[in-house]
Amino acid sequence: MRLPPPALRHCARRPRPAPPMQPFLALSRYHHSVAPTAPITVSSILPTPAPLLLQQQNRHSSTMSSDDTYAAFLAKANKDYSAADEEEQSLTAKDVSDPNPPAAIKALGSDRCYTSDSDEPFVAISLPYGGTALPDNRELSKLLEISTVDSQDVLDWDPRGKYKDVTDAVAKAGNGAVNVYYLQSGTSIKYWVLSVDQKAGKLVGVVVMAYES
């Protein structure tokens, strides 16, 4: 077999492989060949009408919150009024007002009041009673047609003598012995200041409401 001339043998040689690309150069070329990626923002994700939708949702939430607050206010107001009605009903007793009271009680006048959160007038009362001594709490509750009452002596009820003219008038209208009965519900108290009129066969005195917070 004949070999080619030297020049031809040189041309027939395989080309030398290119040197391996350096990592930094490769990355640089890749960096310049790829377009930079735009930063991701909220506006690029959400559609254009989204801000308007969020405003509408916030406005709707605010309206709902206002409605809930107003509804809660109405519920509380109604509950408070109902509680007041129940309190008044619990203090309701038999009407024993006396249009023709004894002279001593009548002399107090219609403008004599008990001072509390609201000044209330003393009202003359009387009710049939066959005993000679003041009734106990249970007896009086039956006479007044209420569930129960409590009682206290005059000094506990009026330690400063602010209503001495009232207790003196009741004592004069009766047999001289006076007791104070009361029924409390919440901040409301009803007082009965009573004595026994043995000759007339009845209890005489006054009743008054007090509101003490």
Side-chain angles (χ1 to χ4, degrees):
M1 179 179 179
R2 294 179 59 184
L3 296 175
L8 292 179
R9 286 201 305 268
H10 177 75
C11 292
R13 291 179 181 177
R14 295 180 180 178
R16 296 177 61 183
M21 186 178 294
Q22 297 180 2
F24 178 78
L25 181 60
L27 290 175
S28 300
R29 290 178 179 178
Y30 179 78
H31 174 74
H32 290 291
S33 62
V34 179
T37 304
I40 299 175
T41 63
V42 175
S43 59
S44 66
I45 299 175
L46 294 177
T48 302
L52 178 59
L53 178 60
L54 290 175
Q55 293 178 4
Q56 292 175 347
Q57 290 177 346
N58 292 337
R59 188 180 303 111
H60 179 68
S61 300
S62 177
T63 303
M64 290 294 293
S65 178
S66 299
D67 292 343
D68 292 343
T69 301
Y70 182 66
F73 168 77
L74 290 180
K76 183 179 185 301
N78 291 333
K79 183 178 181 180
D80 289 344
Y81 283 124
S82 299
D85 292 341
E86 291 175 0
E87 184 171 290
E88 288 296 328
Q89 291 176 3
S90 66
L91 293 175
T92 301
K94 181 180 178 180
D95 182 11
V96 291
S97 57
D98 189 350
N100 298 304
I105 294 177
K106 187 175 182 179
L108 291 172
S110 59
D111 58 346
R112 186 65 173 102
C113 295
Y114 183 91
T115 302
S116 60
D117 290 350
S118 174
D119 293 347
E120 297 293 331
F122 287 96
V123 178
I125 60 172
S126 65
L127 61 162
Y129 180 66
T132 58
L134 285 164
D136 59 22
N137 297 347
R138 185 176 181 181
E139 288 178 303
L140 185 62
S141 64
K142 289 182 179 180
L143 293 173
L144 295 174
E145 298 178 1
I146 54 179
S147 59
T148 184
V149 293
D150 292 314
S151 60
Q152 57 187 157
D153 59 37
V154 173
L155 290 178
D156 289 336
W157 176 65
D158 184 27
R160 298 181 180 180
K162 189 175 181 179
Y163 305 103
K164 188 175 185 304
D165 59 328
V166 175
T167 56
D168 286 349
V170 173
K172 188 175 181 179
N175 62 5
V178 178
N179 201 15
V180 179
Y181 304 86
Y182 65 94
L183 176 61
Q184 181 172 358
S185 179
T187 58
S188 301
I189 308 175
K190 181 175 283 189
Y191 292 110
W192 293 267
V193 184
L194 300 175
S195 185
V196 180
D197 183 352
Q198 293 177 264
K199 293 181 179 179
K202 60 183 180 181
L203 292 171
V204 294
V206 293
V207 63
V208 68
M209 284 295 304
Y211 302 94
E212 300 175 353
S213 58

